Amino acid sequence: MPFTVMFYAYRKPGTSTAHFKDYYENHHIPLIQSLVGPTFPRSHVRRYIQRSETIEDSEGSAEGSNNVCSPANVVVGCQTDFEYDVIGELSFENEDAWKAFYAKISEKEVAEKIAEDEERFLEKMKAVVLSDCVVTNRKDESHMPNPESNDG
């Protein structure tokens, strides 16, 4: 049975959203892949929060929230609900594959290298194991009656 972990990551104060994404994609992910080898997740999906970044935020905000100058494009809720910058999903073949990955990233030398790298761009991270995944798709419109036809 597939095993999935979801995490929320927050960029370090003073780090722009563009720099955060670039560093995460082009430095951190390749580092993790090189450190954990075949225990890397089957997939690692990242979804970045869409923000209206202003000129003042090009170097990040030094005051309180990182997102004073780069508010999230909120549909429901308020800005403080979206202080994180990326939602990630790690998918593994099964729980044993997750345990192998977790054991590898917990090894002293590996953990130190990861922590050192994360110090460059991350403020904090939260993670949780997910349960069942239920998907509802749009109904196939080709099988829907056409209200403009005279077929019935």
Side-chain angles (χ1 to χ4, degrees):
M1 174 187 287
F3 192 85
T4 305
V5 174
M6 178 177 281
F7 68 86
Y8 301 85
Y10 301 68
R11 65 192 152 98
K12 190 173 188 167
T15 304
S16 71
T17 55
H19 177 75
F20 174 81
K21 182 178 179 182
D22 178 69
Y23 193 89
Y24 192 66
E25 296 297 325
N26 298 307
H27 299 279
H28 191 66
I29 296 298
L31 173 67
I32 300 295
Q33 288 176 312
S34 72
L35 292 172
V36 303
T39 68
F40 192 79
R42 178 178 59 191
S43 68
H44 179 356
V45 176
R46 293 161 306 282
R47 297 183 188 276
Y48 292 88
I49 299 300
Q50 186 181 56
R51 298 193 177 281
S52 300
E53 192 161 353
T54 63
I55 294 170
E56 296 84 28
D57 193 46
S58 63
E59 292 302 317
S61 173
E63 54 181 276
S65 170
N66 271 344
N67 299 314
V68 170
C69 297
S70 55
N73 294 329
V74 177
V75 175
V76 176
C78 59
Q79 287 299 318
T80 56
D81 295 334
F82 301 94
E83 290 296 315
Y84 50 87
D85 295 283
V86 64
I87 301 167
E89 183 177 293
L90 306 175
S91 297
F92 298 87
E93 291 80 359
N94 51 46
E95 189 172 355
D96 288 340
W98 154 253
K99 288 178 179 176
F101 171 76
Y102 193 76
K104 188 68 177 171
I105 63 171
S106 298
E107 291 175 5
K108 187 177 190 296
E109 185 176 312
V110 173
E112 287 173 355
K113 288 180 181 178
I114 292 171
E116 181 181 318
D117 192 56
E118 288 178 347
E119 182 63 31
R120 294 185 176 107
F121 74 110
L122 277 181
E123 179 180 11
K124 66 180 178 178
M125 186 180 297
K126 299 177 187 178
V128 66
V129 174
L130 298 180
S131 182
D132 298 337
C133 176
V134 179
V135 176
T136 303
N137 293 313
R138 178 176 46 203
K139 293 182 180 179
D140 185 358
E141 294 174 8
S142 66
H143 292 82
M144 299 292 287
N146 183 347
E148 296 178 10
S149 75
N150 292 327
D151 293 341

